[in-house]
């Protein structure tokens, strides 16, 4: 028996040692001790409550006025017939009183309810390549993407095609404050990335709304798509069936108790499917529009965490357990029960 | 009469199951297999058989788990077995250390996998209620495809490789911890229901908090976010939360865990920065174009990214804290008992042995004498250390045989190599 020979044979068979393969990596072994639990909850509470209060205070300063007008603007009994009649006078005047001073710029939105811009067949009914590239004319691909609003009756292509563009919102609002009219700035209402890249500056509307049925507003044939900001805003499909989209901005301030008169051209047909329309005026701050939700959520979570921190302190006092007490091992507990 | 006879077999089994241990001697290979099958089928327990020679092959194959010892008698047992070890004493490690860790890791990986996919899918599910049930997808196609491949894959592999509830030496010191596997503590319906409940809760948080908070204009420009902005925001929250949840459920966190979790979240951001910056003709629609840059220009993004994962993980954290305090698992009590122990791998290198008593020092010196290599490993019960194996299990200290000590002390001195494998 040669010890040295078998030694080197054994070491030749021994696998190469590394901390990774032998699972000896240095590791941190976190334990949820009472200190860590209470500390974590307190920390979250201490951080979240101030953030929540800041958000809430920013949100409370925002003045938001919502005026639903679709019901009262159509007095005829056959609402759908009225709205589809192209010769009827659809102007409607609404009065809104301003409760608190509103600092400009004041954002004007239109808000729709029960309008499913997130419906599957609606969302996919567009051709982004056609929107940005004027030379894109593959009829089969366009038809596949935009059916049923891809071509006119005689087969010529519609630009921009698809149901989203076809259903463009076309109510208009004209504002006057205390009988003096104010202009609505309709520039820069769409995100810059959409204007610069997604909608071509050399693509013009062709055959728009000539597919048979008219679904919404018309487009100015002389303007390229990148300047049709209403269309761009409309085509950024909303996530939920109740949504609002930016219509424009009023750059001046409005004082408290001023009366705003809105002359609405009530063109858009939401009556066929039970949708509602409203006009919204809102100031904006760093947090955006009036959104109590985030502030409330932060304060609520922070408050609950602080309460839980105190609750855990009470729990650790009322039901103490020495850390690492062997009596809690299940075999010791069974032995204790057995001996009784 | 022949004890394995069908008429007597049941009595034999019943008697054997009452005993602590049963010794069958002078058995042929076929009888070994028959005894194993008797216990396997009759008692409906999980059986393990271990052997080193060709005569053990049928027994190894008859049991649920067959272990072969490679060595003096050749490799037939090894070739027929499920696991092969080099010395009989490695069986302790195989069962109590690696087997137990393997069970723990498997349960964690499987339950975590279901949890992360359930969260991801349920978040989409709530969206369907608000699309008129038309089946519009909430997430972009590439997000869905890459979720399980890039954004959440690596951390769970790290946990499956490295997670340890207690160290190897403690696993052997408290062999009762093995009962957790026998009782199926970590894969009961109750455990899965808890994971499922939190997946449900988190999906509600993800969907409603991001959707509800996006209804209004954002930023001082008052512009509105669209559907793909909301879904990218929700997806970001899902990826961040799911990865952080994994860290919360780890018992030991190595640097690979940090790398993989941070790397997965970073991979998501890298992906979305690149994906939303390009316009390709492969994407049917350029829905997600520039979405992340638009989102990151609003305060909404940062406020939501801090708020939503915290709310989502809040429930899990509360549950884990309460469970550990009020109904601790055995391994958690053991962890707490030994939380101040020095790191186990630093103990091997301690140079001074002054804390050993003279007997312990002598015993240690004897065990450090050069050993026979390979010659005694195949004969499981024949090697010098093993007469005392069962005695030491009962706590009785049996001294080394003097002829064995003398023989080993007279062997040529070899250079000592630190022994790692198999020794605690």
């Amino acid at each position: 028996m040669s010890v040295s020979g078998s030694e080197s044979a054994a070491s030749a068979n021994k696998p190469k040692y590394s901390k990774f393969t032998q699972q000896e990596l240095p590791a941190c072994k976190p334990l949820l001790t009472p200190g860590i639990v209470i500390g974590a909850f307190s920390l979250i509470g201490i951080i979240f409550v101030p953030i929540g209060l800041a958000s809430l205070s920013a949100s409370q300063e925002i003045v938001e006025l919502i005026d639903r007008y679709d019901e009262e603007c159509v007095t005829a009994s056959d609402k759908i017939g009225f709205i589809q009649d192209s010769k009827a006078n659809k102007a409607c005047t609404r009065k809104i009183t301003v409760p608190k001073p509103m600092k400009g710029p004041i954002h004007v939105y239109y808000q729709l309810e029960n309008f499913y811009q997130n419906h599957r067949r609606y969302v996919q009914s567009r051709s982004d390549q056609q929107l940005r590239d004027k030379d894109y004319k593959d009829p089969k691909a366009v038809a596949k993407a935009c059916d049923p609003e891809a071509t006119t009756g005689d087969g010529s292509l519609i630009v921009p095609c698809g149901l989203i563009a076809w259903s463009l919102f076309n109510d208009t609002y004209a504002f006057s404050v205390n009988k003096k009219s104010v202009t609505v700035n309709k520039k820069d209402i769409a995100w810059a990335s959409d204007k610069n890249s997604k909608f071509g500056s050399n693509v013009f509307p062709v055959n728009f709304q000539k597919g048979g049925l008219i679904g919404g507003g018309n487009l100015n044939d002389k303007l390229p798509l990148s300047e049709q900001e209403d269309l761009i805003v409309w085509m950024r499909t909303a996530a939920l069936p109740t949504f609002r989209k930016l219509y424009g901005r009023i750059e001046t301030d409005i004082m408290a108790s001023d009366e705003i008169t809105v002359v609405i051209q009530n063109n858009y047909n939401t009556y066929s499917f039970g949708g509602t329309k409203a006009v919204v005026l809102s100031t904006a701050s760093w947090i955006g529009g009036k959104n109590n939700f985030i502030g409330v959520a932060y304060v609520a979570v922070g408050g609950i965490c602080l309460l839980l921190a105190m609750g855990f302190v009470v729990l650790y006092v009322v039901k103490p357990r020495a850390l690492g007490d062997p009596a809690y091992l299940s075999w010791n507990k069974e032995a204790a029960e057995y001996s009784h | 009469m022949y004890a394995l006879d069908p008429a007597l077999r049941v009595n034999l089994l019943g008697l054997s199951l009452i005993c602590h241990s049963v010794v069958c001697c002078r058995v042929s290979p076929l009888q070994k297999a028959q005894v194993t099958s008797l216990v396997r089928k009759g008692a409906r327990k999980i059986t393990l058989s271990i052997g080193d020679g060709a005569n053990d092959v049928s027994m190894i194959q008859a049991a649920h788990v067959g272990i072969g010892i490679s060595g003096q008698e050749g490799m037939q047992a090894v070739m027929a077995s499920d696991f092969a070890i080099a010395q009989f004493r490695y069986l302790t490690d195989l069962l109590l250390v690696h087997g137990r860790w393997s069970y723990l890791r498997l349960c964690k990986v499987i339950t975590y996998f279901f949890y992360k996919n359930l969260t991801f899918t349920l978040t989409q599910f709530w969206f369907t209620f608000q699309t008129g049930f038309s089946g519009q997808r909430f997430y972009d196609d590439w997000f869905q495809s890459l979720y399980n491949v890039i954004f959440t894959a690596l951390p769970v592999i790290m946990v499956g490789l490295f997670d340890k509830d207690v160290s190897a030496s403690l696993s052997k010191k408290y062999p009762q911890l093995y009962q957790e596997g026998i009782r199926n503590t970590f894969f009961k319906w109750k455990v899965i229901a808890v994971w499922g409940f939190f997946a449900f809760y988190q999906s509600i948080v993800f969907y409603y908090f991001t959707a509800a908070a996006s209804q209004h204009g954002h930023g001082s420009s008052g512009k509105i976010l669209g559907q793909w902005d909301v879904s990218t925001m929700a997806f970001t929250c899902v990826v961040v939360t799911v990865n952080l949840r994994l860290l919360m459920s780890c018992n030991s966190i190595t640097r690979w865990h940090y790398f993989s979790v941070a790397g997965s979240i970073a991979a998501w951001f890298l992906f979305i920065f690149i994906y939303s910056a390009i316009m390709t003709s492969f994407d049917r629609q350029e829905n997600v174009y520039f979405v992340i840059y638009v989102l990151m220009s609003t305060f909404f993004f940062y406020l939501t990214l801090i708020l939503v994962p915290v709310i989502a993980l809040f429930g899990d954290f509360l549950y884990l804290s309460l469970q550990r305090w009020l109904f601790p698992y055995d391994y958690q009590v053991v962890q707490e008992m030994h939380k101040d122990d020095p790191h186990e791998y630093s103990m091997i290198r301690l140079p001074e042995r002054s804390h050993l008593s003279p007997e312990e020092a002598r015993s240690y010196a004897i065990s450090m004498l050069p050993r026979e290599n390979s010659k005694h490993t195949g004969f499981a019960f024949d090697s010098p250390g093993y007469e005392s194996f069962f005695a030491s299990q009962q706590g009785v200290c049996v001294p080394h045989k003097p002829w064995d000590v003398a023989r080993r002390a007279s062997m040529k001195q070899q250079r000592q190599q630190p022994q790692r494998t198999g020794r605690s």
Side-chain angles (χ1 to χ4, degrees), chain B residues 354-372:
Chain B
S354 53
H355 60 277
L356 294 175
S357 71
E359 260 124 47
E360 289 172 18
R362 185 171 162 273
S363 177
Y364 179 74
I366 291 173
S367 65
M368 280 285 115
L369 286 175
R371 290 182 179 247
E372 303 284 357

PDB file of all heavy atoms in Angstrom, chain B residues 354-372:
ATOM      1  N   SER B 354      -6.108  27.108  22.890  1.00  0.00           N
ATOM      2  CA  SER B 354      -5.960  27.067  24.342  1.00  0.00           C
ATOM      3  C   SER B 354      -7.282  26.806  25.042  1.00  0.00           C
ATOM      4  O   SER B 354      -7.301  26.477  26.204  1.00  0.00           O
ATOM      5  CB  SER B 354      -5.359  28.378  24.833  1.00  0.00           C
ATOM      6  OG  SER B 354      -6.139  29.438  24.329  1.00  0.00           O
ATOM      7  N   HIS B 355      -8.400  26.937  24.346  1.00  0.00           N
ATOM      8  CA  HIS B 355      -9.669  26.721  25.037  1.00  0.00           C
ATOM      9  C   HIS B 355     -10.025  25.235  25.120  1.00  0.00           C
ATOM     10  O   HIS B 355     -11.022  24.852  25.694  1.00  0.00           O
ATOM     11  CB  HIS B 355     -10.808  27.471  24.348  1.00  0.00           C
ATOM     12  CG  HIS B 355     -11.006  27.058  22.925  1.00  0.00           C
ATOM     13  ND1 HIS B 355     -10.261  27.570  21.903  1.00  0.00           N
ATOM     14  CD2 HIS B 355     -11.834  26.157  22.374  1.00  0.00           C
ATOM     15  CE1 HIS B 355     -10.635  27.015  20.779  1.00  0.00           C
ATOM     16  NE2 HIS B 355     -11.581  26.146  21.026  1.00  0.00           N
ATOM     17  N   LEU B 356      -9.211  24.363  24.496  1.00  0.00           N
ATOM     18  CA  LEU B 356      -9.501  22.935  24.573  1.00  0.00           C
ATOM     19  C   LEU B 356      -8.931  22.351  25.858  1.00  0.00           C
ATOM     20  O   LEU B 356      -7.858  22.715  26.294  1.00  0.00           O
ATOM     21  CB  LEU B 356      -8.863  22.206  23.386  1.00  0.00           C
ATOM     22  CG  LEU B 356      -9.424  22.530  21.998  1.00  0.00           C
ATOM     23  CD1 LEU B 356      -8.602  21.818  20.942  1.00  0.00           C
ATOM     24  CD2 LEU B 356     -10.862  22.090  21.889  1.00  0.00           C
ATOM     25  N   SER B 357      -9.673  21.419  26.437  1.00  0.00           N
ATOM     26  CA  SER B 357      -9.140  20.728  27.617  1.00  0.00           C
ATOM     27  C   SER B 357      -8.080  19.735  27.145  1.00  0.00           C
ATOM     28  O   SER B 357      -8.027  19.416  25.956  1.00  0.00           O
ATOM     29  CB  SER B 357     -10.275  19.995  28.328  1.00  0.00           C
ATOM     30  OG  SER B 357     -10.671  18.899  27.534  1.00  0.00           O
ATOM     31  N   PRO B 358      -7.263  19.216  28.047  1.00  0.00           N
ATOM     32  CA  PRO B 358      -6.197  18.281  27.626  1.00  0.00           C
ATOM     33  C   PRO B 358      -6.747  17.083  26.862  1.00  0.00           C
ATOM     34  O   PRO B 358      -6.167  16.656  25.873  1.00  0.00           O
ATOM     35  CB  PRO B 358      -5.561  17.834  28.947  1.00  0.00           C
ATOM     36  CG  PRO B 358      -5.886  18.912  29.915  1.00  0.00           C
ATOM     37  CD  PRO B 358      -7.148  19.571  29.470  1.00  0.00           C
ATOM     38  N   GLU B 359      -7.909  16.557  27.284  1.00  0.00           N
ATOM     39  CA  GLU B 359      -8.454  15.404  26.554  1.00  0.00           C
ATOM     40  C   GLU B 359      -8.857  15.798  25.151  1.00  0.00           C
ATOM     41  O   GLU B 359      -8.639  15.068  24.190  1.00  0.00           O
ATOM     42  CB  GLU B 359      -9.694  14.878  27.260  1.00  0.00           C
ATOM     43  CG  GLU B 359      -9.455  13.668  28.112  1.00  0.00           C
ATOM     44  CD  GLU B 359      -9.919  13.959  29.514  1.00  0.00           C
ATOM     45  OE1 GLU B 359     -11.048  14.493  29.618  1.00  0.00           O
ATOM     46  OE2 GLU B 359      -9.144  13.730  30.449  1.00  0.00           O
ATOM     47  N   GLU B 360      -9.497  16.962  25.058  1.00  0.00           N
ATOM     48  CA  GLU B 360      -9.936  17.407  23.738  1.00  0.00           C
ATOM     49  C   GLU B 360      -8.740  17.676  22.856  1.00  0.00           C
ATOM     50  O   GLU B 360      -8.755  17.388  21.661  1.00  0.00           O
ATOM     51  CB  GLU B 360     -10.796  18.668  23.866  1.00  0.00           C
ATOM     52  CG  GLU B 360     -12.166  18.410  24.467  1.00  0.00           C
ATOM     53  CD  GLU B 360     -12.912  19.703  24.747  1.00  0.00           C
ATOM     54  OE1 GLU B 360     -12.509  20.743  24.172  1.00  0.00           O
ATOM     55  OE2 GLU B 360     -13.849  19.700  25.533  1.00  0.00           O
ATOM     56  N   ALA B 361      -7.686  18.228  23.468  1.00  0.00           N
ATOM     57  CA  ALA B 361      -6.491  18.519  22.668  1.00  0.00           C
ATOM     58  C   ALA B 361      -5.874  17.225  22.160  1.00  0.00           C
ATOM     59  O   ALA B 361      -5.455  17.134  20.995  1.00  0.00           O
ATOM     60  CB  ALA B 361      -5.483  19.302  23.512  1.00  0.00           C
ATOM     61  N   ARG B 362      -5.847  16.183  23.044  1.00  0.00           N
ATOM     62  CA  ARG B 362      -5.265  14.902  22.631  1.00  0.00           C
ATOM     63  C   ARG B 362      -6.120  14.276  21.526  1.00  0.00           C
ATOM     64  O   ARG B 362      -5.614  13.764  20.544  1.00  0.00           O
ATOM     65  CB  ARG B 362      -5.201  13.988  23.864  1.00  0.00           C
ATOM     66  CG  ARG B 362      -4.512  12.672  23.595  1.00  0.00           C
ATOM     67  CD  ARG B 362      -4.287  11.912  24.880  1.00  0.00           C
ATOM     68  NE  ARG B 362      -4.026  10.524  24.572  1.00  0.00           N
ATOM     69  CZ  ARG B 362      -4.972   9.613  24.412  1.00  0.00           C
ATOM     70  NH1 ARG B 362      -6.229   9.916  24.582  1.00  0.00           N
ATOM     71  NH2 ARG B 362      -4.644   8.371  24.080  1.00  0.00           N
ATOM     72  N   SER B 363      -7.398  14.351  21.722  1.00  0.00           N
ATOM     73  CA  SER B 363      -8.297  13.770  20.727  1.00  0.00           C
ATOM     74  C   SER B 363      -8.152  14.481  19.395  1.00  0.00           C
ATOM     75  O   SER B 363      -8.159  13.869  18.325  1.00  0.00           O
ATOM     76  CB  SER B 363      -9.730  13.908  21.264  1.00  0.00           C
ATOM     77  OG  SER B 363     -10.622  13.438  20.346  1.00  0.00           O
ATOM     78  N   TYR B 364      -7.997  15.787  19.461  1.00  0.00           N
ATOM     79  CA  TYR B 364      -7.831  16.556  18.233  1.00  0.00           C
ATOM     80  C   TYR B 364      -6.523  16.181  17.548  1.00  0.00           C
ATOM     81  O   TYR B 364      -6.449  16.021  16.336  1.00  0.00           O
ATOM     82  CB  TYR B 364      -7.857  18.055  18.573  1.00  0.00           C
ATOM     83  CG  TYR B 364      -7.669  18.934  17.361  1.00  0.00           C
ATOM     84  CD1 TYR B 364      -8.684  19.101  16.428  1.00  0.00           C
ATOM     85  CD2 TYR B 364      -6.458  19.576  17.126  1.00  0.00           C
ATOM     86  CE1 TYR B 364      -8.511  19.887  15.322  1.00  0.00           C
ATOM     87  CE2 TYR B 364      -6.284  20.365  16.019  1.00  0.00           C
ATOM     88  CZ  TYR B 364      -7.301  20.521  15.121  1.00  0.00           C
ATOM     89  OH  TYR B 364      -7.137  21.289  14.026  1.00  0.00           O
ATOM     90  N   ALA B 365      -5.459  16.023  18.365  1.00  0.00           N
ATOM     91  CA  ALA B 365      -4.162  15.681  17.778  1.00  0.00           C
ATOM     92  C   ALA B 365      -4.229  14.313  17.099  1.00  0.00           C
ATOM     93  O   ALA B 365      -3.675  14.118  16.014  1.00  0.00           O
ATOM     94  CB  ALA B 365      -3.081  15.687  18.867  1.00  0.00           C
ATOM     95  N   ILE B 366      -4.935  13.371  17.738  1.00  0.00           N
ATOM     96  CA  ILE B 366      -5.058  12.045  17.131  1.00  0.00           C
ATOM     97  C   ILE B 366      -5.813  12.140  15.817  1.00  0.00           C
ATOM     98  O   ILE B 366      -5.446  11.517  14.813  1.00  0.00           O
ATOM     99  CB  ILE B 366      -5.776  11.080  18.092  1.00  0.00           C
ATOM    100  CG1 ILE B 366      -4.879  10.775  19.279  1.00  0.00           C
ATOM    101  CG2 ILE B 366      -6.144   9.796  17.359  1.00  0.00           C
ATOM    102  CD1 ILE B 366      -5.575   9.971  20.344  1.00  0.00           C
ATOM    103  N   SER B 367      -6.852  12.936  15.815  1.00  0.00           N
ATOM    104  CA  SER B 367      -7.625  13.012  14.574  1.00  0.00           C
ATOM    105  C   SER B 367      -6.864  13.721  13.477  1.00  0.00           C
ATOM    106  O   SER B 367      -7.189  13.575  12.305  1.00  0.00           O
ATOM    107  CB  SER B 367      -8.969  13.701  14.822  1.00  0.00           C
ATOM    108  OG  SER B 367      -8.729  15.043  15.191  1.00  0.00           O
ATOM    109  N   MET B 368      -5.866  14.494  13.849  1.00  0.00           N
ATOM    110  CA  MET B 368      -5.066  15.168  12.830  1.00  0.00           C
ATOM    111  C   MET B 368      -3.946  14.294  12.304  1.00  0.00           C
ATOM    112  O   MET B 368      -3.228  14.692  11.411  1.00  0.00           O
ATOM    113  CB  MET B 368      -4.451  16.461  13.410  1.00  0.00           C
ATOM    114  CG  MET B 368      -5.433  17.603  13.445  1.00  0.00           C
ATOM    115  SD  MET B 368      -5.711  18.280  11.814  1.00  0.00           S
ATOM    116  CE  MET B 368      -7.395  17.891  11.580  1.00  0.00           C
ATOM    117  N   LEU B 369      -3.752  13.108  12.882  1.00  0.00           N
ATOM    118  CA  LEU B 369      -2.736  12.204  12.356  1.00  0.00           C
ATOM    119  C   LEU B 369      -3.117  11.798  10.941  1.00  0.00           C
ATOM    120  O   LEU B 369      -4.299  11.756  10.600  1.00  0.00           O
ATOM    121  CB  LEU B 369      -2.644  10.954  13.241  1.00  0.00           C
ATOM    122  CG  LEU B 369      -1.955  11.168  14.591  1.00  0.00           C
ATOM    123  CD1 LEU B 369      -2.053   9.893  15.402  1.00  0.00           C
ATOM    124  CD2 LEU B 369      -0.499  11.548  14.391  1.00  0.00           C
ATOM    125  N   PRO B 370      -2.105  11.472  10.134  1.00  0.00           N
ATOM    126  CA  PRO B 370      -2.448  11.089   8.761  1.00  0.00           C
ATOM    127  C   PRO B 370      -3.336   9.857   8.743  1.00  0.00           C
ATOM    128  O   PRO B 370      -3.164   8.940   9.524  1.00  0.00           O
ATOM    129  CB  PRO B 370      -1.086  10.803   8.114  1.00  0.00           C
ATOM    130  CG  PRO B 370      -0.148  10.644   9.237  1.00  0.00           C
ATOM    131  CD  PRO B 370      -0.661  11.425  10.375  1.00  0.00           C
ATOM    132  N   ARG B 371      -4.300   9.909   7.852  1.00  0.00           N
ATOM    133  CA  ARG B 371      -5.248   8.803   7.781  1.00  0.00           C
ATOM    134  C   ARG B 371      -4.930   7.903   6.624  1.00  0.00           C
ATOM    135  O   ARG B 371      -4.271   8.299   5.685  1.00  0.00           O
ATOM    136  CB  ARG B 371      -6.647   9.349   7.533  1.00  0.00           C
ATOM    137  CG  ARG B 371      -7.152  10.058   8.727  1.00  0.00           C
ATOM    138  CD  ARG B 371      -8.553  10.556   8.482  1.00  0.00           C
ATOM    139  NE  ARG B 371      -8.958  11.205   9.729  1.00  0.00           N
ATOM    140  CZ  ARG B 371      -9.902  10.737  10.504  1.00  0.00           C
ATOM    141  NH1 ARG B 371     -10.558   9.659  10.172  1.00  0.00           N
ATOM    142  NH2 ARG B 371     -10.209  11.358  11.609  1.00  0.00           N
ATOM    143  N   GLU B 372      -5.477   6.724   6.679  1.00  0.00           N
ATOM    144  CA  GLU B 372      -5.413   5.843   5.520  1.00  0.00           C
ATOM    145  C   GLU B 372      -6.289   6.464   4.451  1.00  0.00           C
ATOM    146  O   GLU B 372      -7.347   6.972   4.736  1.00  0.00           O
ATOM    147  CB  GLU B 372      -6.016   4.463   5.862  1.00  0.00           C
ATOM    148  CG  GLU B 372      -5.373   3.769   7.035  1.00  0.00           C
ATOM    149  CD  GLU B 372      -4.038   3.170   6.673  1.00  0.00           C
ATOM    150  OE1 GLU B 372      -3.648   3.245   5.478  1.00  0.00           O
ATOM    151  OE2 GLU B 372      -3.388   2.644   7.561  1.00  0.00           O
TER     152      GLU B 372
END
